[in-house]
Amino acid sequence: MTSSFNVHDAAGYEQLMGRWSQKLAPLFIDFAGIANGERILDVGCGTGSLTFALAKAADPSEITGIDYSPVFVEAAARRNTNPRITIRQGDACALPFEDGAFDRALALLVLHFVPDAGKAVSEMRRVVRPGGIVAAVVWDHLGGMPGMRMMVDTVAALSEGGRQLRGRYCFQPMMQPGEMKRTFVERGLDAVTETELMIRMNYRDFDDYWAPIAAGEGPLGKYMATLDEAERERVSAAVRDAYEAGRSDGPRSFANVAWACRGVVP
């Protein structure tokens, strides 16, 4: 089952989101838990932000990262020097593992890009042993990402296409309060807990913020790629104005909130 997240270049993804995934990963690990000797599955590992953080947080016996994108799989495998870590291509909705093969299955910033997120949760539950943990975290695009809302609200004011982008972006799966928790409960997990995690995204200047989007990375970059040159320049100028907010170009910092959920396999 395909992902709705588009990626062209691993380095571009790192500038767009990977560097922030690395900041969020330790907070997510603290919430999801980890213990020495465990077998852990990282569903939708991307370039390895969570996978490699897990190896630093404890002494698990095995960490397996899977991702649908061959671009991400290649980049994560190239970075890997740890014999306990395995990176492979796989589908979150059809995990290529036996029932109960892992102690924990975690998903960092993945479920909102899976067309059938509930099925992915069921698959994570299936491959985790009884008593093990399933946990996931997603951004709150509607109310918790002011830096990205800055762009989508700007383009929504410019065109009907921009308004459609905002509608899609703000209401992706698993992002509404209680939505992941309900899904975890419906898929048969026990002791389900939901919380909020927050990091700050700090940019050096407008180009640091805008370059990966302008290059076509992620859902906002995908929208930019649909525009002709004149409209791209118009959008870029308008978003720059929003970023600068009447001041000269330079550093900006945005607080960003994510929903995190965990449950126990019965």
Side-chain angles (χ1 to χ4, degrees):
M1 183 174 290
T2 59
S3 166
S4 62
F5 188 93
N6 62 295
V7 58
H8 301 291
D9 176 72
Y13 169 80
E14 284 295 299
Q15 185 177 2
L16 175 71
M17 191 54 63
R19 52 181 166 168
W20 314 126
S21 300
Q22 292 172 28
K23 292 182 69 174
L24 184 61
L27 302 181
F28 179 47
I29 292 170
D30 286 345
F31 171 74
I34 186 174
N36 293 339
E38 288 188 330
R39 300 157 300 161
I40 304 173
L41 176 64
D42 179 2
V43 178
C45 64
T47 53
S49 296
L50 177 61
T51 305
F52 300 124
L54 286 164
K56 295 177 181 177
D59 187 26
S61 64
E62 173 188 332
I63 303 171
T64 302
I66 71 157
D67 202 280
Y68 189 82
S69 166
V71 174
F72 283 153
V73 171
E74 192 278 331
R78 188 174 61 248
R79 289 178 58 193
N80 183 34
T81 58
N82 189 326
R84 294 173 299 161
I85 294 175
T86 301
I87 309 292
R88 58 183 290 186
Q89 191 169 9
D91 184 343
C93 292
L95 294 172
F97 306 106
E98 299 292 329
D99 295 359
F102 297 94
D103 299 293
R104 296 177 198 263
L106 312 182
L108 175 76
L109 305 179
V110 173
L111 290 187
H112 48 317
F113 293 113
V114 178
D116 189 346
K119 187 174 182 180
V121 173
S122 291
E123 278 291 276
M124 292 169 71
R125 178 197 165 185
R126 179 185 65 78
V127 301
V128 171
R129 63 166 174 80
I133 299 294
V134 171
V137 60
V138 302
W139 292 124
D140 177 4
H141 279 185
L142 178 65
M145 294 196 78
M148 298 298 108
R149 278 296 301 268
M150 178 177 67
M151 179 205 165
V152 296
D153 287 337
T154 297
V155 299
L158 297 178
S159 70
E160 176 59 28
R163 286 187 286 276
Q164 293 175 9
L165 167 69
R166 181 171 61 183
R168 294 190 302 271
Y169 184 80
C170 290
F171 295 98
Q172 287 178 246
M174 302 290 104
M175 289 186 171
Q176 302 310 300
E179 186 178 1
M180 261 202 303
K181 184 175 183 178
R182 287 192 299 272
T183 300
F184 273 43
V185 171
E186 290 168 358
R187 299 294 167 152
L189 291 160
D190 291 339
V192 177
T193 303
E194 186 177 76
T195 193
E196 300 174 28
L197 305 176
M198 191 202 72
I199 66 165
R200 296 199 72 90
M201 293 183 179
N202 302 308
Y203 298 97
R204 297 187 304 272
D205 51 27
F206 178 69
D207 186 63
D208 188 34
Y209 167 87
W210 188 243
I213 298 173
E217 296 295 341
L220 305 185
K222 184 178 181 179
Y223 170 78
M224 290 297 295
T226 68
L227 307 179
D228 61 32
E229 184 176 356
E231 188 64 11
R232 285 197 299 271
E233 291 179 357
R234 178 175 177 241
V235 168
S236 179
V239 178
R240 175 184 284 276
D241 184 63
Y243 177 91
E244 293 178 354
R247 302 248 178 133
S248 59
D249 191 12
R252 300 291 189 272
S253 180
F254 302 96
N256 289 266
V257 175
W259 294 111
C261 191
R262 72 168 181 255
V264 179
V265 176

